[in-house]
Amino acid sequence: FKARLVAKGYEQRAGIDYGELFAPTSRFASLRALLAVAAAKGMPIHQLDVSTAFLNGELEEELWMQQPPGYESKDPNQACRLKRSIYGLKQAPRCWYVKLVAALDKLGFKPSQADPALFIKKDENGIVYLLVHVDDIVTTSDDVELIKKVKAAVGEAFKIRDLGEAKVFLGMEISRGENGEVKLSQQKYIEELLQRHQLADAKPRSTPLPPGSKVLPAGDGETELVDS
């Protein structure tokens, strides 16, 4: 069995300023652009994720917490001071992003001006891209050895899972063709959606309306459908 200590979402911080809370995440446009470059240049695409990423963040504020259920000391008046961010804290994503940027900066990566979640390292050995979405990371380069070195370096800074060639990122399934082309699909997500609504065995239709139906906007004197 596993358990995780999570902060309540309504913690009260009267009179205390949270400071900066914004933490950028990658955009679909950045992912598509990166995959397009990888496909055009025939670059391998690998993926890794950081285990319990938020627990790596270091809190700037002095934050105290009641003793968690299941762990009570002999003195009931004692409290726990949080030095690391935990899941549920409003500033946890920001703390993790700051920690990640610092670690990647030591490795020579700089955030892109177009997307602060896209990190680029360029030197005499070549160029490496890292696209980060919270704890999921996609990396690509024209040299697979550079990818291996980057994954090893990130693994020394954080506990990671090396997922090998990228298969799923941001809910998008990634597949490579024989000629190096990259295909994106959401088949798994669609199937899960159908299962959730008990429609997995429904017969497919090319259109939800009878063939030949004309759909026109409602006029001023017409009543719109209660449930469109």
Side-chain angles (χ1 to χ4, degrees):
F1 300 97
K2 292 192 291 185
R4 172 179 289 174
L5 178 61
V6 180
K8 293 180 180 180
Y10 53 87
E11 72 271 13
Q12 295 181 356
R13 300 287 303 282
I16 301 178
D17 188 7
Y18 280 107
E20 181 63 65
L21 296 178
F22 175 72
T25 55
S26 59
R27 298 177 298 171
F28 275 112
S30 300
L31 175 62
R32 290 194 295 267
L34 188 65
L35 295 180
V37 171
K41 297 186 176 182
M43 300 191 302
I45 307 168
H46 284 229
Q47 185 177 4
L48 58 139
D49 70 13
V50 182
S51 302
T52 58
F54 284 0
L55 303 186
N56 292 289
E58 299 176 3
L59 290 172
E60 298 178 355
E61 305 92 346
E62 182 176 333
L63 189 60
W64 294 83
M65 179 186 69
Q66 294 178 344
Q67 296 179 31
Y71 175 79
E72 288 84 14
S73 66
K74 295 180 180 179
D75 184 358
N77 296 319
Q78 283 187 339
C80 305
R81 180 179 178 182
L82 292 178
K83 295 186 176 181
R84 297 292 186 97
S85 62
I86 61 174
Y87 286 79
L89 287 180
K90 291 182 174 65
Q91 60 268 57
R94 174 71 181 182
C95 292
W96 160 239
Y97 177 77
V98 171
K99 184 80 171 185
L100 178 64
V101 170
L104 293 180
D105 184 68
K106 292 181 180 179
L107 300 178
F109 283 91
K110 302 297 180 183
S112 166
Q113 293 183 356
D115 187 341
L118 174 63
F119 296 85
I120 304 172
K121 179 182 179 180
K122 188 176 183 180
D123 55 24
E124 64 277 2
N125 297 320
I127 185 168
V128 185
Y129 300 94
L130 280 179
L131 186 65
V132 179
H133 187 84
V134 190
D135 55 357
D136 290 323
I137 302 176
V138 163
T139 177
T140 184
S141 171
D142 51 8
D143 187 349
V144 70
E145 291 300 321
L146 287 178
I147 295 178
K148 292 180 180 179
K149 290 180 180 179
V150 167
K151 290 194 291 186
V154 175
E156 291 180 1
F158 308 106
K159 181 181 178 181
I160 67 169
R161 287 193 308 148
D162 186 351
L163 304 177
E165 292 190 9
K167 301 296 183 184
V168 179
F169 190 72
L170 300 184
M172 303 286 282
E173 297 175 58
I174 304 172
S175 59
R176 299 294 294 264
E178 295 181 358
N179 58 352
E181 66 180 3
V182 177
K183 291 185 177 180
L184 297 179
S185 168
Q186 287 189 295
Q187 179 177 341
K188 182 179 179 182
Y189 171 74
I190 294 172
E191 291 174 351
E192 291 176 350
L193 197 62
L194 291 173
Q195 290 283 358
R196 190 187 312 162
H197 295 282
Q198 293 85 42
L199 292 172
D201 298 326
K203 295 181 180 179
R205 292 289 297 271
S206 58
T207 172
L209 294 174
S213 299
K214 293 184 179 181
V215 181
L216 302 174
D220 295 336
E222 297 177 319
T223 304
E224 295 184 5
L225 295 175
V226 177
D227 182 359
S228 59

